[in-house]
Amino acid sequence: MNKAKIFFCFVAVLFFLVLLSIAIIVLIYEHTIITFGIAVSVLYVINACFGFYILNSKYRQDSTKLCWLFIFILIPFIGVLIFLIFGSNYINIKEHRADFEKSKAKFSNFENLDFSNQLISKDTAATNIFKYSFVSQKAAITNRNSTEIIEENQDLYSTYMDAIRQAKHFIHFRTYIIRDGMFLFSLASELIKKAKEGVKVRFMYDWVGSYHNFSKKVLSEMKAAGVEIGIFNPKGINMFKGSTNFRSHEKCLIIDNVLAVYGSSNIGDEYLGISPDRNAWKDLNYILKGEIVNSLNITFCIGWMELTDYSVPKQAKTELEDYALVSFKPHAADGNEIMQLTTSSPNYSDQDITRTLVSLITYATKSIKIVTPYLFLTPELHNALKIAIYRRIDIKIIVPGKNDSKDFILALNKNNYYQLQKEQCKVYTYNGFIHSKYVIVDDKFVYTGTNNLDFRSLWINFESCLLIENEHVINSMNKVFENDLQNSTLVTQESLNEVKKLKFRISMWILNVYKPLL
């Protein structure tokens, strides 16, 4: 946030507090009906003006608008103050988007769009799914790629270490959570070794996601060895502005623009299945080679340039731009897998991941298979799935049977799939906590990445997702789904009797107030 924005927010909050103080003083020291009426009228007008503004906001979902309006009604005046501090995201989104697009253009020049232009010239239902993100955000469609699925948590550790040891030029690493443990300490040790060998190492993490989860000593040792650290939303003024609600939720390790480890795992021992507190954890990641790695690298670079304002010096960002000119280029792999990386963030008024999901569900003629840890569907997705059910599409959804750390997650999941299950959608609960995120449509497309099916991932977070069309990948993913299904239990209407109880319904009424911000 620049100085002008900080000043604007400070003045707005100060103005509101002054008016509120005047109203309170009048109410305390003046007891006439006229003065009381004036004070209440002033506060009412302030509340009404902000409500009117929210209703006309272009960058919020209707459900989010209703959430803020309810807060204004529930806690008048105080709700406006909360909104000024945490809800006035539109300033950051509107102004930052131009800078974001400008930086994206710099790196997008390193994409090879030959196959993209060839594919979108075909006017078919399948190609139109790829076409949307290509037109809306110039997301390259590549076809010289290969994928290896990392299904077992234990294999993730050796995959990371082997990949890092292969690096000769640069390592780009981005994660949402870093947590103390064997995984982090081993990873830091390997990155330090590579930095001392002269390999350029850039490490980016989310401050909120990692808050109080790790020792700062690890980062200090990495910095001392030459590892550059980028922090999304670092501590400071960001704690008191709307972008605190944003999260950099992407996870990816990129090696020399040739290889990438991508998926849903953060850095913590639970993601390896060795945490004593969370030993029933299931995750899914991929080893990617080919031109798609370049797309992932460009996404990292944009994030590094635009989302780490306070933690990365301008000189370091200039060095990355200069380095890109001579080092970034697509590397073809032996495979023939068609892939496209789509991203979604508050910097876009169009939410490409949501719209691609809706397109895929609409495209389906036979089957839809969904695995997600959080099923807090947006209205668009909920309606698309209901229509697919009415069209007699075979839909199977797997959600966790145990929670990760928040008890209300399972209740919200249950509340969301209750109606779908009533309409003959088959819902399964995994015998543990499943953190995998993927959708398989008609055994033709796979859509997998870092996003959950909730409001936060689809509207507030910085996320990415891979759209894949390839028979070999589909067959492999179907085997993964069948394995997940064998470790899951079918939900029946009898098991959902809890949803009908008054206590549960009241708790859902309360949670639904702020569900759009979860």
mmCIF file with all atom_site columns, all heavy atoms in Angstrom, residues 4 8 44 60 173 220 296 363 415 435 505:
data_model
loop_
_atom_site.group_PDB
_atom_site.id
_atom_site.type_symbol
_atom_site.label_atom_id
_atom_site.label_alt_id
_atom_site.label_comp_id
_atom_site.label_asym_id
_atom_site.label_entity_id
_atom_site.label_seq_id
_atom_site.pdbx_PDB_ins_code
_atom_site.Cartn_x
_atom_site.Cartn_y
_atom_site.Cartn_z
_atom_site.occupancy
_atom_site.B_iso_or_equiv
_atom_site.pdbx_formal_charge
_atom_site.auth_seq_id
_atom_site.auth_comp_id
_atom_site.auth_asym_id
_atom_site.auth_atom_id
_atom_site.pdbx_PDB_model_num
ATOM 1   N N   . ALA A 1 4   ? -0.229  7.390   -0.178  1.00 0.00 ? 4   ALA A N   1
ATOM 2   C CA  . ALA A 1 4   ? -1.525  8.039   -0.423  1.00 0.00 ? 4   ALA A CA  1
ATOM 3   C C   . ALA A 1 4   ? -2.671  7.170   0.100   1.00 0.00 ? 4   ALA A C   1
ATOM 4   O O   . ALA A 1 4   ? -3.621  7.674   0.704   1.00 0.00 ? 4   ALA A O   1
ATOM 5   C CB  . ALA A 1 4   ? -1.701  8.301   -1.919  1.00 0.00 ? 4   ALA A CB  1
ATOM 6   N N   . PHE A 1 8   ? -5.249  8.039   3.085   1.00 0.00 ? 8   PHE A N   1
ATOM 7   C CA  . PHE A 1 8   ? -6.695  8.029   2.862   1.00 0.00 ? 8   PHE A CA  1
ATOM 8   C C   . PHE A 1 8   ? -7.409  7.212   3.939   1.00 0.00 ? 8   PHE A C   1
ATOM 9   O O   . PHE A 1 8   ? -8.402  7.645   4.512   1.00 0.00 ? 8   PHE A O   1
ATOM 10  C CB  . PHE A 1 8   ? -7.019  7.448   1.484   1.00 0.00 ? 8   PHE A CB  1
ATOM 11  C CG  . PHE A 1 8   ? -8.493  7.247   1.250   1.00 0.00 ? 8   PHE A CG  1
ATOM 12  C CD1 . PHE A 1 8   ? -9.297  8.296   0.837   1.00 0.00 ? 8   PHE A CD1 1
ATOM 13  C CD2 . PHE A 1 8   ? -9.075  6.003   1.466   1.00 0.00 ? 8   PHE A CD2 1
ATOM 14  C CE1 . PHE A 1 8   ? -10.654 8.111   0.633   1.00 0.00 ? 8   PHE A CE1 1
ATOM 15  C CE2 . PHE A 1 8   ? -10.432 5.809   1.274   1.00 0.00 ? 8   PHE A CE2 1
ATOM 16  C CZ  . PHE A 1 8   ? -11.215 6.876   0.854   1.00 0.00 ? 8   PHE A CZ  1
ATOM 17  N N   . TYR A 1 44  ? -26.747 7.572   11.772  1.00 0.00 ? 44  TYR A N   1
ATOM 18  C CA  . TYR A 1 44  ? -27.585 6.804   10.854  1.00 0.00 ? 44  TYR A CA  1
ATOM 19  C C   . TYR A 1 44  ? -27.197 7.098   9.406   1.00 0.00 ? 44  TYR A C   1
ATOM 20  O O   . TYR A 1 44  ? -27.117 6.187   8.575   1.00 0.00 ? 44  TYR A O   1
ATOM 21  C CB  . TYR A 1 44  ? -29.051 7.146   11.084  1.00 0.00 ? 44  TYR A CB  1
ATOM 22  C CG  . TYR A 1 44  ? -29.984 6.509   10.083  1.00 0.00 ? 44  TYR A CG  1
ATOM 23  C CD1 . TYR A 1 44  ? -30.382 5.185   10.208  1.00 0.00 ? 44  TYR A CD1 1
ATOM 24  C CD2 . TYR A 1 44  ? -30.450 7.243   8.982   1.00 0.00 ? 44  TYR A CD2 1
ATOM 25  C CE1 . TYR A 1 44  ? -31.228 4.601   9.281   1.00 0.00 ? 44  TYR A CE1 1
ATOM 26  C CE2 . TYR A 1 44  ? -31.291 6.659   8.052   1.00 0.00 ? 44  TYR A CE2 1
ATOM 27  C CZ  . TYR A 1 44  ? -31.672 5.341   8.205   1.00 0.00 ? 44  TYR A CZ  1
ATOM 28  O OH  . TYR A 1 44  ? -32.492 4.763   7.277   1.00 0.00 ? 44  TYR A OH  1
ATOM 29  N N   . ARG A 1 60  ? -17.337 -7.028  -5.330  1.00 0.00 ? 60  ARG A N   1
ATOM 30  C CA  . ARG A 1 60  ? -17.770 -7.932  -4.271  1.00 0.00 ? 60  ARG A CA  1
ATOM 31  C C   . ARG A 1 60  ? -18.932 -8.792  -4.749  1.00 0.00 ? 60  ARG A C   1
ATOM 32  O O   . ARG A 1 60  ? -19.782 -8.341  -5.494  1.00 0.00 ? 60  ARG A O   1
ATOM 33  C CB  . ARG A 1 60  ? -18.203 -7.145  -3.023  1.00 0.00 ? 60  ARG A CB  1
ATOM 34  C CG  . ARG A 1 60  ? -17.061 -6.510  -2.278  1.00 0.00 ? 60  ARG A CG  1
ATOM 35  C CD  . ARG A 1 60  ? -17.555 -5.814  -1.016  1.00 0.00 ? 60  ARG A CD  1
ATOM 36  N NE  . ARG A 1 60  ? -16.444 -5.280  -0.265  1.00 0.00 ? 60  ARG A NE  1
ATOM 37  C CZ  . ARG A 1 60  ? -15.886 -4.091  -0.494  1.00 0.00 ? 60  ARG A CZ  1
ATOM 38  N NH1 . ARG A 1 60  ? -16.377 -3.331  -1.442  1.00 0.00 ? 60  ARG A NH1 1
ATOM 39  N NH2 . ARG A 1 60  ? -14.862 -3.684  0.214   1.00 0.00 ? 60  ARG A NH2 1
ATOM 40  N N   . PHE A 1 173 ? 10.624  -20.796 -4.959  1.00 0.00 ? 173 PHE A N   1
ATOM 41  C CA  . PHE A 1 173 ? 9.786   -21.573 -4.048  1.00 0.00 ? 173 PHE A CA  1
ATOM 42  C C   . PHE A 1 173 ? 8.696   -20.682 -3.473  1.00 0.00 ? 173 PHE A C   1
ATOM 43  O O   . PHE A 1 173 ? 8.970   -19.582 -2.986  1.00 0.00 ? 173 PHE A O   1
ATOM 44  C CB  . PHE A 1 173 ? 10.634  -22.149 -2.905  1.00 0.00 ? 173 PHE A CB  1
ATOM 45  C CG  . PHE A 1 173 ? 9.928   -23.207 -2.113  1.00 0.00 ? 173 PHE A CG  1
ATOM 46  C CD1 . PHE A 1 173 ? 10.142  -24.540 -2.377  1.00 0.00 ? 173 PHE A CD1 1
ATOM 47  C CD2 . PHE A 1 173 ? 9.039   -22.870 -1.103  1.00 0.00 ? 173 PHE A CD2 1
ATOM 48  C CE1 . PHE A 1 173 ? 9.477   -25.524 -1.662  1.00 0.00 ? 173 PHE A CE1 1
ATOM 49  C CE2 . PHE A 1 173 ? 8.372   -23.832 -0.387  1.00 0.00 ? 173 PHE A CE2 1
ATOM 50  C CZ  . PHE A 1 173 ? 8.595   -25.172 -0.660  1.00 0.00 ? 173 PHE A CZ  1
ATOM 51  N N   . SER A 1 220 ? 16.614  -16.544 9.206   1.00 0.00 ? 220 SER A N   1
ATOM 52  C CA  . SER A 1 220 ? 17.860  -15.786 9.387   1.00 0.00 ? 220 SER A CA  1
ATOM 53  C C   . SER A 1 220 ? 19.039  -16.551 8.797   1.00 0.00 ? 220 SER A C   1
ATOM 54  O O   . SER A 1 220 ? 19.907  -15.963 8.140   1.00 0.00 ? 220 SER A O   1
ATOM 55  C CB  . SER A 1 220 ? 18.093  -15.513 10.873  1.00 0.00 ? 220 SER A CB  1
ATOM 56  O OG  . SER A 1 220 ? 17.064  -14.720 11.402  1.00 0.00 ? 220 SER A OG  1
ATOM 57  N N   . LEU A 1 296 ? 4.189   -21.594 -14.692 1.00 0.00 ? 296 LEU A N   1
ATOM 58  C CA  . LEU A 1 296 ? 4.277   -21.556 -13.231 1.00 0.00 ? 296 LEU A CA  1
ATOM 59  C C   . LEU A 1 296 ? 5.337   -20.563 -12.778 1.00 0.00 ? 296 LEU A C   1
ATOM 60  O O   . LEU A 1 296 ? 5.149   -19.827 -11.797 1.00 0.00 ? 296 LEU A O   1
ATOM 61  C CB  . LEU A 1 296 ? 4.601   -22.950 -12.691 1.00 0.00 ? 296 LEU A CB  1
ATOM 62  C CG  . LEU A 1 296 ? 3.467   -23.977 -12.753 1.00 0.00 ? 296 LEU A CG  1
ATOM 63  C CD1 . LEU A 1 296 ? 4.015   -25.391 -12.582 1.00 0.00 ? 296 LEU A CD1 1
ATOM 64  C CD2 . LEU A 1 296 ? 2.418   -23.685 -11.686 1.00 0.00 ? 296 LEU A CD2 1
ATOM 65  N N   . TYR A 1 363 ? -20.120 -28.515 -19.215 1.00 0.00 ? 363 TYR A N   1
ATOM 66  C CA  . TYR A 1 363 ? -19.666 -29.352 -20.330 1.00 0.00 ? 363 TYR A CA  1
ATOM 67  C C   . TYR A 1 363 ? -19.981 -30.827 -20.098 1.00 0.00 ? 363 TYR A C   1
ATOM 68  O O   . TYR A 1 363 ? -20.228 -31.584 -21.047 1.00 0.00 ? 363 TYR A O   1
ATOM 69  C CB  . TYR A 1 363 ? -18.160 -29.165 -20.518 1.00 0.00 ? 363 TYR A CB  1
ATOM 70  C CG  . TYR A 1 363 ? -17.501 -30.160 -21.443 1.00 0.00 ? 363 TYR A CG  1
ATOM 71  C CD1 . TYR A 1 363 ? -17.481 -29.952 -22.818 1.00 0.00 ? 363 TYR A CD1 1
ATOM 72  C CD2 . TYR A 1 363 ? -16.903 -31.316 -20.936 1.00 0.00 ? 363 TYR A CD2 1
ATOM 73  C CE1 . TYR A 1 363 ? -16.875 -30.867 -23.670 1.00 0.00 ? 363 TYR A CE1 1
ATOM 74  C CE2 . TYR A 1 363 ? -16.307 -32.238 -21.773 1.00 0.00 ? 363 TYR A CE2 1
ATOM 75  C CZ  . TYR A 1 363 ? -16.290 -32.017 -23.140 1.00 0.00 ? 363 TYR A CZ  1
ATOM 76  O OH  . TYR A 1 363 ? -15.702 -32.925 -23.978 1.00 0.00 ? 363 TYR A OH  1
ATOM 77  N N   . ASN A 1 415 ? -23.408 -29.084 5.902   1.00 0.00 ? 415 ASN A N   1
ATOM 78  C CA  . ASN A 1 415 ? -24.520 -28.198 5.563   1.00 0.00 ? 415 ASN A CA  1
ATOM 79  C C   . ASN A 1 415 ? -24.587 -27.937 4.060   1.00 0.00 ? 415 ASN A C   1
ATOM 80  O O   . ASN A 1 415 ? -25.670 -27.790 3.484   1.00 0.00 ? 415 ASN A O   1
ATOM 81  C CB  . ASN A 1 415 ? -24.376 -26.878 6.316   1.00 0.00 ? 415 ASN A CB  1
ATOM 82  C CG  . ASN A 1 415 ? -25.579 -25.982 6.165   1.00 0.00 ? 415 ASN A CG  1
ATOM 83  O OD1 . ASN A 1 415 ? -26.699 -26.370 6.441   1.00 0.00 ? 415 ASN A OD1 1
ATOM 84  N ND2 . ASN A 1 415 ? -25.344 -24.759 5.700   1.00 0.00 ? 415 ASN A ND2 1
ATOM 85  N N   . HIS A 1 435 ? -6.749  -33.474 1.962   1.00 0.00 ? 435 HIS A N   1
ATOM 86  C CA  . HIS A 1 435 ? -6.393  -32.102 1.592   1.00 0.00 ? 435 HIS A CA  1
ATOM 87  C C   . HIS A 1 435 ? -6.212  -31.955 0.081   1.00 0.00 ? 435 HIS A C   1
ATOM 88  O O   . HIS A 1 435 ? -5.904  -30.881 -0.419  1.00 0.00 ? 435 HIS A O   1
ATOM 89  C CB  . HIS A 1 435 ? -5.103  -31.703 2.327   1.00 0.00 ? 435 HIS A CB  1
ATOM 90  C CG  . HIS A 1 435 ? -4.804  -30.247 2.320   1.00 0.00 ? 435 HIS A CG  1
ATOM 91  N ND1 . HIS A 1 435 ? -3.701  -29.712 1.669   1.00 0.00 ? 435 HIS A ND1 1
ATOM 92  C CD2 . HIS A 1 435 ? -5.450  -29.188 2.870   1.00 0.00 ? 435 HIS A CD2 1
ATOM 93  C CE1 . HIS A 1 435 ? -3.684  -28.405 1.833   1.00 0.00 ? 435 HIS A CE1 1
ATOM 94  N NE2 . HIS A 1 435 ? -4.730  -28.060 2.549   1.00 0.00 ? 435 HIS A NE2 1
ATOM 95  N N   . ARG A 1 505 ? -29.039 -26.085 13.011  1.00 0.00 ? 505 ARG A N   1
ATOM 96  C CA  . ARG A 1 505 ? -29.541 -25.058 12.095  1.00 0.00 ? 505 ARG A CA  1
ATOM 97  C C   . ARG A 1 505 ? -29.225 -23.652 12.595  1.00 0.00 ? 505 ARG A C   1
ATOM 98  O O   . ARG A 1 505 ? -28.856 -22.768 11.818  1.00 0.00 ? 505 ARG A O   1
ATOM 99  C CB  . ARG A 1 505 ? -31.043 -25.238 11.904  1.00 0.00 ? 505 ARG A CB  1
ATOM 100 C CG  . ARG A 1 505 ? -31.387 -26.463 11.065  1.00 0.00 ? 505 ARG A CG  1
ATOM 101 C CD  . ARG A 1 505 ? -32.825 -26.901 11.256  1.00 0.00 ? 505 ARG A CD  1
ATOM 102 N NE  . ARG A 1 505 ? -33.763 -25.864 10.845  1.00 0.00 ? 505 ARG A NE  1
ATOM 103 C CZ  . ARG A 1 505 ? -35.072 -25.935 11.052  1.00 0.00 ? 505 ARG A CZ  1
ATOM 104 N NH1 . ARG A 1 505 ? -35.574 -26.981 11.702  1.00 0.00 ? 505 ARG A NH1 1
ATOM 105 N NH2 . ARG A 1 505 ? -35.861 -24.977 10.636  1.00 0.00 ? 505 ARG A NH2 1
#
